[in-house]
Amino acid sequence: MMSDAAERQRHTILEAMLEEAAFEGWNETALENACEAAGIDAAARADGALKRLFPKGIADVLDFWAEREDLAMMAAYEALQEPPARIRDKVTWLVRRRIEQLTPHREAARRAGAVLTLPHLAGLGARLAWRTAGAIWRALGDSSTDGNWYTKRATLSAVYLSTLTRWFADDEEDGETPYSASWAFLDDRICNVMSFEKWKAKAAKKGFDPAGIANMFGRIRYGAGN
């Protein structure tokens, strides 16, 4: 477990890394520069300071950033005086909030998305998306323990990743509702999910057919008619 001082250092390095990554990408050189900007000199780095804070280097920094954003999303939802009433609106609010939080570091996030598709980090990317989906369901008080636990997280991971990808490509940064096309895309994906849930309820009465999941996931990931 990290000490409070070490945690503060990790946050300081992350902030510096977000600035570096926007221009240099997520690589070890950028991380070294971020450490220097955070006040960790070459002698301390040579003594293993960076390894103690982020043993796996870039992978750990990305993991730490994702966890921080998940916690911020959950805290923002808990702070709402009047949260959305319907479950679909709650999920939409949380997914949108999780993505909008990235706006100050959008280019760093875009580059992170790209690097997390590389073979050596693809597993981490999937795990982070799954964890974000889990954080959303926890914020909503989900207590499922059966197959629904996995289905909910797999479905929401697809919704989150597809909307995030759409947001990265969205150039509508200005105007009354920035990135409105991305939020319309999210609404469509949530509609897909609601259709899936209705299908599950009907299928459960006749015997569940898991073959339908693949088709539904494809519609969620790529959209229908988008």
Side-chain angles (χ1 to χ4, degrees), residues 190-208:
I190 296 297
C191 285
N192 290 154
V193 172
M194 293 300 103
S195 297
F196 180 41
E197 292 301 316
K198 290 178 181 178
W199 174 84
K200 279 203 307 179
K202 291 179 180 178
K205 296 178 181 179
K206 300 179 181 180
F208 186 69

Side-chain angles (χ1 to χ4, degrees), residues 26-76:
W26 291 85
N27 53 60
E28 295 300 330
T29 299
L31 183 54
E32 288 287 334
N33 292 339
C35 286
E36 185 174 354
I40 300 178
D41 60 26
R45 297 199 299 277
D47 193 42
L50 178 57
K51 281 292 183 182
R52 288 190 291 274
L53 294 170
F54 296 106
K56 297 179 182 178
I58 292 296
D60 274 353
V61 180
L62 288 166
D63 192 333
F64 182 59
W65 185 25
E67 182 180 38
R68 192 175 78 168
E69 295 297 335
D70 288 344
L71 292 173
M73 172 197 66
M74 295 173 72

Side-chain angles (χ1 to χ4, degrees), residues 84-220:
R86 299 186 303 173
I87 185 65
R88 64 181 296 164
D89 296 331
K90 295 175 189 287
V91 172
T92 299
W93 191 95
L94 283 157
V95 173
R96 178 168 172 172
R97 173 71 187 207
R98 179 63 173 79
I99 293 173
E100 285 183 322
Q101 287 176 177
L102 301 174
T103 301
H105 300 291
R106 190 162 180 254
E107 185 55 34
R110 194 199 316 267
R111 287 174 175 256
V115 78
L116 284 169
T117 65
L118 298 177
H120 69 292
L121 289 175
L124 173 63
R127 183 169 66 82
L128 297 184
W130 182 274
R131 190 171 69 191
T132 294
I136 291 173
W137 285 117
R138 286 197 305 277
L140 298 180
D142 176 57
S143 59
S144 60
T145 57
D146 55 7
N148 281 331
W149 190 93
Y150 296 96
T151 302
K152 286 179 176 180
R153 281 152 182 77
T155 304
L156 189 52
S157 293
V159 170
Y160 169 67
L161 286 175
S162 61
T163 306
L164 183 62
T165 300
R166 179 66 182 85
W167 185 72
F168 286 150
D170 197 336
D171 58 3
E172 297 178 9
E173 300 181 28
D174 302 315
E176 187 174 337
T177 308
Y179 310 116
S180 58
S182 296
W183 312 138
F185 180 90
L186 172 59
D187 288 340
D188 288 344
R189 303 292 72 72
I190 296 297
C191 285
N192 290 154
V193 172
M194 293 300 103
S195 297
F196 180 41
E197 292 301 316
K198 290 178 181 178
W199 174 84
K200 279 203 307 179
K202 291 179 180 178
K205 296 178 181 179
K206 300 179 181 180
F208 186 69
D209 176 16
I213 292 179
N215 179 54
M216 181 57 67
F217 278 6
R219 290 178 59 198
I220 292 168

